[in-house]
Amino acid sequence: MAPMALPTTFTLENLINTWQKVDYTNKLLNSFYISLASALLALALSLFNAFALGIGRLPGKTFFLIFFTIAITLPNEALIYPLYYMFKEIGLYDTRLSVILILATLNSAFGTYLLASVFTAFPRELTDAALIDGANKLQLLWRVVVPISMPALSVLFVFFFIWTWNEFFLPLIFLVSNSNQTVPLAMAMARGERGVVITTQSAAALLGVVPCILFFFLFQRTLTRSITAGAIK
Amino acid sequence: MARKSQTRDRGYGIFLVPGVLLFVLLVFAPFVANIALSFTRWSGVGVPVWIGLANYQKALGDAVFWASLRNNLALIVAITVIPTLIGLFLAAFLFDYVAVKIGKRTANVFRAGYYLPQIIPVVIASVVWRWMYQPDWGVINYVLRSIGLGALAQNWLGDASTAMASVMVVMIWFQIGYPLVIFMAGLQRIDPELYEAAALEGASWFQRFSRITVHLLLPEIYVVVLTTTIYALKVFGPIYVMTLGGPGTSTIVAAYFSFKNFFDRSQVGYGATIATVLTVLVLIITIFYVRIQSRQQAWENQ
C-alpha cells in the first residue's frame, strides 16, 4: 500500500502479524503482572502507613507526611543511578520484581498522603468501640477500617494500576531483555526497527492503547471523581 | 521523649515499618547517594573521585545545560500556561453553555473526550504523533499538500526551527483534559445564584467569567498550575520517543540530558549534578504547593 493513498482493503492481518512479531501476549502479560503486583503492594504499604499515621495519630505525623509528599514530586532522575547500581549489585537488575518494588514504593508516597487525610476524618467512636471490644490492631485494620474505606482504596488501586501501566522511564532503565518488556516500552522500541511497514506500526500503536481505553471506560466515573479528589484534598 | 512517644504509640508504630523500610532503601538512600555523586567524577565503574563543586561550575558554563532549562521553560508554557487558560474557558463553556443549552450528558461526553489523552500512555501517544509529523508520509504534511498548502509542509521534528514547537503542540493536546476535569468539578461548588444576580446587574458573559468563575476557582487554579509545572520540569518519555533531544540541542530537556550523561556518556557525576539541580527546582515549587494546600485546609477547617 502506498502511504499516500487511502486504504483500499480491510484486513486483520497487520494486527495479527504485529501481535506475533513483538510477541504482544508476552508484553501484555508483563504489563499486567507488573501493574497488578505493584498496585497491590503500593496499596498495602499506603494502607499500613496511613493506618499508623491517620488512625493511630503517631507523634511526628506531620514530619512523615512532609517526607512522603516530597517523595511524590521527586524526579526519577534523582534516584535512578544509585538504584540501577544497587539492583545490579544484588542481582535483581533486569527483573520485573525490581520495577514492581520501586514503583510500589514511589506510589505508596501518594497513597499514604491521600489515605492519611481520609483516615484523619475516620469516626473515632468506631475505632474506640472495636478496641474496647478487645480487637487487636490488625483486626481493627482489617475488619473495621478496610471495609469502610473501600471506595478510597479502590480509587487508589485504579490509580496505581494505570500509573504503573503507563510508566516508561523505570522499565526503560531496568527491563533490558525483550522478554521482560512492558507494552509502552515495546511500542516505543518498535519504532527503531528498519523497514517496518506503516500499517504494522499503526497496529502496534492500537494494541498499545486498547488496554488503557478499556480501563478508562470501565472506571470512567470513579476516575473523573478521583482525579479531583486527589488534587484538591 | 522516647517514653512519651511509646505511651502514645499504643502499637500502631509497627505498621510503619514495611513502608518506611522500603522508602529509606529505595527512595531516601538513592536520593542522598545521588547528591553525593554530584560532587564526584565517576564513569560507573571503579571508585568515584571527589571533585567538590566542579560539576556545578561546569553546568553553569554549559550551553547544553542552559538549552535544556530553556526547553523546560517552553514545556511549562505548553503544559501549564496554555492548558490552564484553555481549560478555564472550556470548563466555563461546557458548564454554563453546553450543559445548560444542550444537556449535561453532552458536556460529560466532551469532558471525557478531552480527558482521554491523559489515560493513554504518553509514550504511545508520542509514537503516533511522530508518524503524524513524519515529513514524507505523515498525515499533517499529507493534508497540507492535498489542500494546496504544500509550501507549508515541514520536517516538523527534524528541523531545529520547528522541533520544539511541534513537541509543544503534542503536550498541549495531551494536557488539556487535566485542568478541564478539575475546573469542571470546582464549578459544581459555585452557587448558580451568583451568576443570576450578576446577569441581572447586566454583567456580560466575559465579565461573569473573569469576576466570578476565575475568582472562585482560584484554589483549583493553584493546584493545576503547581502540579503541572512540576510535571513540565520532569518530562522525559515524549522527548525520548519523538526527538531524542535533537536536532542538535533544540528539544533537549533537563531529565533527558541527565539520562544521557548517566547512560550514554558514562558521566555519572555530571548526570547526578543535573538531576540534583532539577530536584531543587521541583522542590521549590513543591514547597509552594504544600504551603498553599495547608493554608487552604486551615481556611476550610475554620
Side-chain angles (χ1 to χ4, degrees), chain B residues 208-268:
Chain B
R208 275 178 289 159
F209 172 75
S210 58
R211 303 269 165 80
I212 303 177
T213 312
V214 173
H215 189 71
L216 291 176
L217 282 181
L218 271 183
E220 278 83 3
I221 295 175
Y222 279 132
V223 168
V224 166
V225 165
L226 293 169
T227 49
T228 54
T229 307
I230 292 171
Y231 173 66
L233 287 172
K234 299 202 289 191
V235 166
F236 174 85
I239 297 293
Y240 182 89
V241 170
M242 286 193 285
T243 65
L244 293 170
T249 58
S250 57
T251 58
I252 197 153
V253 291
Y256 184 74
F257 188 43
S258 147
F259 162 86
K260 215 170 139 178
N261 277 296
F262 281 141
F263 297 103
D264 273 5
R265 296 158 74 182
S266 298
Q267 300 193 352
V268 177

Side-chain angles (χ1 to χ4, degrees), chain B residues 53 60 90 94 122 124 153 169 190 202 244 254 271:
Chain B
L53 286 171
L60 283 177
L90 264 179
L94 288 179
V122 64
I124 293 180
V169 169
I190 296 176
L244 293 170

Side-chain angles (χ1 to χ4, degrees), chain A residues 175-225:
Chain A
L175 304 177
V176 278
S177 43
N178 202 31
S179 61
N180 283 334
Q181 285 181 349
T182 59
V183 174
L185 193 55
M187 295 304 145
M189 293 303 167
R191 85 197 160 102
E193 288 170 31
R194 297 257 165 225
V196 180
V197 194
I198 299 149
T199 44
T200 313
Q201 290 199 336
S202 313
L206 185 65
L207 289 177
V209 167
V210 162
C212 306
I213 299 195
L214 275 179
F215 223 76
F216 180 63
F217 283 114
L218 277 176
F219 294 101
Q220 209 247 79
R221 291 193 54 187
T222 336
L223 262 180
T224 35
R225 210 182 315 134

Side-chain angles (χ1 to χ4, degrees), chain B residues 28-250:
Chain B
F28 188 70
F31 176 68
V32 174
N34 185 72
I35 295 176
L37 281 176
S38 75
F39 300 110
T40 67
R41 190 191 306 115
W42 192 36
S43 66
V45 283
V47 183
V49 182
W50 186 268
I51 54 168
L53 286 171
N55 282 326
Y56 289 88
Q57 275 162 351
K58 181 178 162 189
L60 283 177
D62 184 351
V64 182
F65 173 68
W66 288 109
S68 73
L69 288 188
R70 267 198 307 280
N71 288 333
N72 275 115
L73 211 59
L75 285 181
I76 292 177
V77 173
I79 289 174
T80 306
V81 180
I82 297 176
T84 306
L85 292 176
I86 297 180
L88 271 173
F89 276 106
L90 264 179
F93 178 68
L94 288 179
F95 186 78
D96 55 50
Y97 187 82
V98 176
V100 177
K101 295 270 161 71
I102 303 174
K104 238 183 140 141
R105 284 193 81 90
T106 320
N108 285 343
V109 168
F110 270 107
R111 183 182 64 177
Y114 282 112
Y115 195 72
L116 195 61
Q118 284 266 303
I119 55 119
I120 296 172
V122 64
V123 192
I124 293 180
S126 304
V127 171
V128 176
W129 273 95
R130 221 178 95 106
W131 310 331
M132 290 174 38
Y133 279 135
Q134 213 281 341
D136 301 320
W137 45 262
V139 68
I140 294 174
N141 279 355
Y142 176 64
V143 168
L144 284 174
R145 287 192 190 104
S146 58
I147 56 172
L149 292 172
L152 290 177
Q154 306 276 337
N155 185 357
W156 299 100
L157 292 171
D159 188 326
S161 59
T162 50
M164 194 62 211
S166 306
V167 170
M168 286 170 74
V169 169
V170 178
M171 296 322 290
I172 293 169
W173 165 83
F174 177 69
Q175 200 60 36
I176 279 179
Y178 173 69
L180 181 70
V181 166
I182 302 229
F183 293 155
M184 281 186 78
L187 284 172
Q188 316 277 344
R189 203 185 53 204
I190 296 176
D191 186 356
E193 280 177 22
L194 263 176
Y195 284 102
E196 285 159 26
L200 282 177
E201 303 275 329
S204 69
W205 182 84
F206 186 76
Q207 279 172 326
R208 275 178 289 159
F209 172 75
S210 58
R211 303 269 165 80
I212 303 177
T213 312
V214 173
H215 189 71
L216 291 176
L217 282 181
L218 271 183
E220 278 83 3
I221 295 175
Y222 279 132
V223 168
V224 166
V225 165
L226 293 169
T227 49
T228 54
T229 307
I230 292 171
Y231 173 66
L233 287 172
K234 299 202 289 191
V235 166
F236 174 85
I239 297 293
Y240 182 89
V241 170
M242 286 193 285
T243 65
L244 293 170
T249 58
S250 57

